[in-house]
Amino acid sequence: MDTVSLANHFLIAMPAMADPNFARTLTFICEHNAEGALGIVINRPTDMSLGTLFERVGLTLETHAAENLFGTMPVYFGGPVQTDRGFVLHRPAGEWQSTLKVSDDIGLTSSRDVLQSMGSAAKPQEVLVTLGYAGWSAGQLEWEISQNAWLTVAANPQVIFDLPPEERLPAAMQLLGIDFANLSDTAGHA
């Protein structure tokens, strides 16, 4: 049986999601294949700013444009795996040392060169920086979806890059035509 790839889709945590890492989250799936899935939670900002992260990793926001654009932007909790490692979700996808191309215009980069470019040239401008990611082993995500843990919908980049974090989950729900407040926290199977 062929697996349908959910790359470039949103996972919307159902209200009954018991795992505190994912309760009320919106996750952007970056890779999904027979070996498993990788995603980034996009609506959980931390107390750390990008300016602070740059200081901690020994980089500077060299230009006024970079400081204004990124200095106060939050760093996000991307998921419970490798929380000591940074990931940059960005548009355009670009050509970096370690980029997973999610779509024609969105990439996920884990190499330092994308941060260096942000600090020196203020590019790419559309970014979401996380510590950690969400990972699923082979078949795990499909099983969780079958257990009504998640709703899925094709991703819209505007939800990721143009909306404040608190508006992202409701906006993804609207892509499905559903109001999050109307979802039941009990699962049913047909």
Side-chain angles (χ1 to χ4, degrees):
M1 181 169 130
D2 290 333
T3 302
V4 174
S5 175
L6 292 175
N8 201 25
H9 280 69
F10 290 135
L11 284 185
I12 301 165
M14 293 293 285
M17 175 67 72
D19 185 336
N21 290 309
F22 296 106
R24 299 195 55 78
T25 60
L26 180 62
T27 302
F28 177 69
I29 298 298
C30 300
E31 184 174 47
H32 183 217
N33 55 40
E35 295 159 20
L38 179 148
I40 298 291
V41 175
I42 63 167
N43 67 332
R44 283 251 175 101
T46 67
D47 293 335
M48 184 188 307
S49 71
L50 270 178
T52 301
L53 177 68
F54 268 70
E55 287 174 20
R56 287 188 182 174
V57 298
L59 293 173
T60 58
L61 294 170
E62 297 172 15
T63 66
H64 185 65
E67 179 64 38
N68 285 342
L69 187 62
F70 303 123
T72 60
M73 203 180 266
V75 174
Y76 289 77
F77 168 77
V81 181
Q82 292 188 346
T83 56
D84 59 337
R85 188 168 175 203
F87 297 86
V88 181
L89 189 62
H90 53 86
R91 186 169 70 168
E95 297 293 328
W96 312 104
Q97 289 174 10
S98 181
T99 299
L100 170 64
K101 194 169 181 183
V102 180
S103 69
D104 287 340
D105 65 339
I106 297 175
L108 178 70
T109 300
S110 58
S111 53
R112 187 176 173 96
D113 59 336
V114 72
L115 292 175
Q116 291 167 329
S117 178
M118 288 166 60
S120 63
K123 294 197 187 288
Q125 290 187 357
E126 293 182 292
V127 297
L128 188 141
V129 179
T130 74
L131 291 175
Y133 68 92
W136 292 266
S137 59
Q140 182 183 2
L141 180 56
E142 293 83 351
W143 181 84
E144 290 179 12
I145 291 169
S146 77
Q147 298 303 302
N148 294 317
W150 306 99
L151 290 175
T152 63
V153 64
N156 179 329
Q158 283 73 34
V159 172
I160 302 168
F161 299 110
D162 297 343
L163 295 178
E166 67 276 4
E167 293 179 19
R168 293 176 185 155
L169 180 60
M173 294 295 294
Q174 287 178 349
L175 294 173
L176 286 172
I178 300 171
D179 182 348
F180 195 80
N182 293 336
L183 279 182
S184 170
D185 62 358
T186 55
H189 296 277

